[in-house]
Amino acid sequence: MVLDPPPNIGRNGALFAPGRMTRSTPGVFAGRAALGSMSGKRIVANLLVTGCAGFIGFHLAQRLLGEGRSVVGIDNLNDYYDPALKLARLAMLQAHPNFVFQKLDLADRAGMQALFAQHRFAAVAHLAAQAGVRYSLERPHAYADSNLEGFVNVLEGCRHAGCGHLVFASSSSVYGANTKLPFSVHDNVDHPVSLYAATKKANELLAHSYSHLYRLPVTGLRLFTVYGPWYRPDMALYLFARAITTGQPINLFNHGKMRRDFTHVDDVVEAIVRIIDRPPQGDPSWSGATPDPGTSRAPWRIYNVGNSRPEELMHVVALLEKGLGRTAQTNLLSMQPGDVLETFADVDDLVRDTGFRPRVSIEQGIETFVAWYRDYHRV
């Protein structure tokens, strides 16, 4: 199996293949031709990206547009975090002639029905959700509205409009109380420790039921601690960078003794692009007597998308200190409700089925994030 060569780092903080970087095609893999054209598989032309003004949705839409695909993006542009950041991402997408934006909430049933009836999408990349483990302790109904009712609206749209493939973002949070490492899609995930995780597990189950009943091809991606340029300001690395640059202390839970499988957004986008043109066919050898939680007879599949290299939180703080040129002040605190000590992705299935292994090191990835952060905030 041949994997891609390691990337280089550009002065603007983006990662890219040598000699292929332009402002309109940022990212590790932006310069490569579309996978479908290289493999002889069809390239999906009319795609829906939900959450297009969000962190991952923005990067995916940019990549697809850079490959010449037509993208419809939806987002409700809510104020979970500063909408100015979402609007800045959206403005970059709207510069592309093949991009159409509609402001729409996933929970708007009539609006979602009209959207799918109008466009008849060949494939859907569903990345919109109410995110955040800790916020789910404060606003549980927001998660029910977006992650449950909204997800059913996406499933219904795909079902009735004849969508060829639904790819949706699940989360490493579904592993919950599991302690067996690395986390495998072939392990049961029946003990979530946050409402957010429970909604993501519910998404996987709802997707399977639609795949079984209506033969809808669906792939769920359990994403592991995604980070990079244009990051969400509610996430730890962003909060750390802000605190370091303003001389405020950073909160380190469990006294900083935590490990996370940090995954660069360009690796996540590459995985989605490789998968979206490969709808699952179902596994005829799947057995209800010994059911595999990650596969099915239905055209439904689950993958982990992670770097498969857990990093000590204190090492990540040290990299931020180095990049920002300042020393962090720290508050060492006890473990928070809903948190887990360590995440670690088993990506063997992803590598086998796509030929791709996430590869951006934490050192390279932090460099891209810091470069963007300093430029965006002028620090």
Side-chain angles (χ1 to χ4, degrees), residues 25 100 125 177 181 230 281 319:
T25 55
V100 175
L181 295 172
W230 295 96
Q281 303 301 311
L319 291 174

Side-chain angles (χ1 to χ4, degrees), residues 130-148:
Q130 179 56 62
V133 170
R134 291 161 191 162
Y135 190 66
S136 68
L137 303 176
E138 304 167 14
R139 297 283 302 276
H141 290 95
Y143 292 77
D145 294 343
S146 180
N147 299 5
L148 299 178

Side-chain angles (χ1 to χ4, degrees), residues 9-14 366-376:
I9 299 179
R11 281 184 288 179
N12 67 347
I366 292 293
E367 186 173 343
T368 72
F369 166 66
V370 168
W372 170 81
Y373 183 90
R374 294 180 71 116
D375 179 65
Y376 185 79

